[in-house]
Amino acid sequence: MLEVTALGWTITIGVIVALLALDLTLGVLRPHAVGFREAAGWSVFYIAVALLFGVVFAQIVGWDHGTEYFAGYIVEKSLSVDNLFVFVIIMSTFAVPQKYQQEVLTFGIIIALVLRVIFIALGATLLNAFSFMFLIFGLILIWTAVQLFRHRDEDPDVGDNAMVKAAKKMFPVTEKFHGGKLFARVDGKRTATPLFITLIAIGSTDLLFALDSIPAVFGVTEEAYIVFVANAFALLGLRALFFLVKGLLDRLVYLSVGLSIILMFIGAKLVLHWLHQDLWHGAPEISTPVSLIVILAILTITTVASLLKTRNDPKAKAHAGSLRVTSPQEEDAKR
């Protein structure tokens, strides 16, 4: 079991908060349209920081835990790309001006990080108290994988978001943006701006992604510290990555398929771990190095296949995929 001292936690959290403050400064205090060179530079910076941390971490605690970190980081990074799909849809739906997209993304990342900290603490507590939670987490991931594969050619409907609907009922919403303000006074009345509704949509989306990503990363490591840092470093580069790849997202036509296979694989790994631990010690278990190789192979095949597909069929367009459960009426309508 990994033992992390209070000093270790303090230094880690301090580094992450400093990087988050840097991201906040760039995205909120200096709103501007982000170009390719700037996005590429910051993306390389955040990935380099994450890799450097992994190497230093592995040197200190050993490569067994180091491999778990890299596997967790890659899982969270791949899931964050699907998250970017949804961010693009939300930005387009609410017609967010390009110079304010940084602000929305930065707050979205902060919300995502806070939610993940909550779910990491909850998940670690449940796993330590009840071993059958490995089975529950595994079944959740398998169900998610099946739904994502079934609805791989769809995009989530932002208009159906329950929190967005509730926000619109609670506050009158202006049709126009008022600079970077979340609320504005129109005809003497306090009203919400489209920027506020956009943040509500992104925050609620972050909640759904947290519910999926935390069980997924616990599938490659049981260490809460590794789960936390893998999530944090994957999320910190999300703002820059958004502006770097948003023009390429449409070409990743098989991303949802690849992610569904990864989630299915990790779900099966968790179920086997529970079976080995609680029912049958002869049940096979999947090691972290094997998990890392499988995840990298799936992502590589998915990316190459997607690029080949779009090169041969320029009209092919990627979709974020949806986790919604299709109603019987919708199924009948499709038939």
Side-chain angles (χ1 to χ4, degrees):
M1 183 176 178
L2 179 64
E3 294 289 342
V4 181
T5 64
L7 179 61
W9 273 103
T10 301
I11 293 174
T12 302
I13 293 172
V15 170
I16 290 169
V17 169
L19 290 170
L20 194 60
L22 176 63
D23 222 32
L24 187 63
T25 301
L26 293 170
V28 178
L29 300 183
R30 196 169 64 89
H32 64 286
V34 179
F36 178 83
R37 180 178 292 183
E38 180 182 349
W42 283 111
S43 293
V44 170
F45 168 75
Y46 281 115
I47 291 173
V49 168
L51 295 178
L52 178 62
F53 173 86
V55 172
V56 173
F57 176 68
Q59 293 291 334
I60 295 173
V61 302
W63 277 99
D64 285 345
H65 289 310
T67 303
E68 290 179 1
Y69 164 76
F70 282 112
Y73 175 74
I74 291 170
V75 167
E76 292 303 318
K77 203 67 176 176
S78 60
L79 289 172
S80 72
V81 174
D82 199 43
N83 206 340
L84 289 181
F85 261 115
V86 183
F87 284 176
V88 170
I89 294 168
I90 292 172
M91 299 282 192
S92 300
T93 301
F94 296 106
V96 178
Q98 192 171 11
K99 67 177 181 177
Y100 297 125
Q101 290 181 4
Q102 281 202 92
E103 181 177 345
V104 172
L105 282 169
T106 303
F107 278 115
I109 291 167
I110 293 172
I111 294 169
L113 190 54
V114 170
L115 288 171
R116 278 162 171 74
V117 168
I118 294 170
F119 282 113
I120 288 168
L122 180 61
T125 301
L126 290 173
L127 288 174
N128 286 330
F130 309 104
S131 60
F132 67 83
M133 289 306 301
F134 286 103
L135 174 62
I136 302 299
F137 280 6
L139 294 177
I140 288 173
L141 290 180
I142 291 171
W143 179 87
T144 301
V146 171
Q147 291 300 319
L148 184 59
F149 183 80
R150 287 182 62 199
H151 303 292
R152 61 191 179 279
D153 295 325
E154 302 174 23
D155 289 320
D157 187 353
V158 179
D160 269 346
N161 187 303
M163 291 184 68
V164 170
K165 288 181 177 179
K168 287 183 176 181
K169 288 181 180 179
M170 292 174 63
F171 304 102
V173 182
T174 64
E175 294 183 1
K176 297 181 180 179
F177 286 84
H178 290 258
K181 296 179 179 178
L182 301 180
F183 292 90
R185 287 200 172 275
V186 179
D187 298 329
K189 295 181 179 180
R190 184 176 175 82
T191 60
T193 68
L195 196 61
F196 173 76
I197 300 301
T198 303
L199 284 176
I200 294 294
I202 283 183
S204 56
T205 300
D206 283 336
L207 176 61
L208 294 176
F209 273 97
L211 288 171
D212 294 328
S213 67
I214 297 306
V217 75
F218 269 116
V220 294
T221 178
E222 297 177 34
E223 303 294 344
Y225 178 83
I226 296 176
V227 173
F228 172 71
V229 292
N231 270 273
F233 284 115
L235 287 172
L236 281 172
L238 205 58
R239 181 188 62 84
L241 189 64
F242 172 85
F243 293 102
L244 181 64
V245 305
K246 68 177 182 178
L248 301 175
L249 287 175
D250 284 347
R251 299 185 64 188
L252 299 177
V253 293
Y254 295 126
L255 178 63
S256 292
V257 175
L259 289 178
S260 66
I261 295 172
I262 289 173
L263 293 177
M264 180 70 74
F265 170 76
I266 297 176
K269 182 178 185 293
L270 283 170
V271 172
L272 286 173
H273 178 74
W274 168 79
L275 188 64
H276 177 88
Q277 194 173 40
D278 282 15
L279 292 184
W280 177 39
H281 293 307
E285 287 201 277
I286 303 172
S287 67
T288 300
V290 170
S291 299
L292 181 58
I293 292 170
V294 170
I295 291 166
L296 285 173
I298 292 170
L299 289 175
T300 301
I301 293 170
T302 297
T303 303
V304 172
S306 295
L307 295 178
L308 289 174
K309 172 67 176 178
T310 52
R311 188 177 69 176
N312 296 327
D313 182 9
K315 293 183 179 180
K317 182 181 177 182
H319 296 276
S322 175
L323 299 182
R324 69 187 183 89
V325 179
T326 307
S327 67
Q329 291 80 8
E330 288 176 312
E331 292 286 0
D332 292 339
K334 286 182 180 180
R335 296 192 189 99

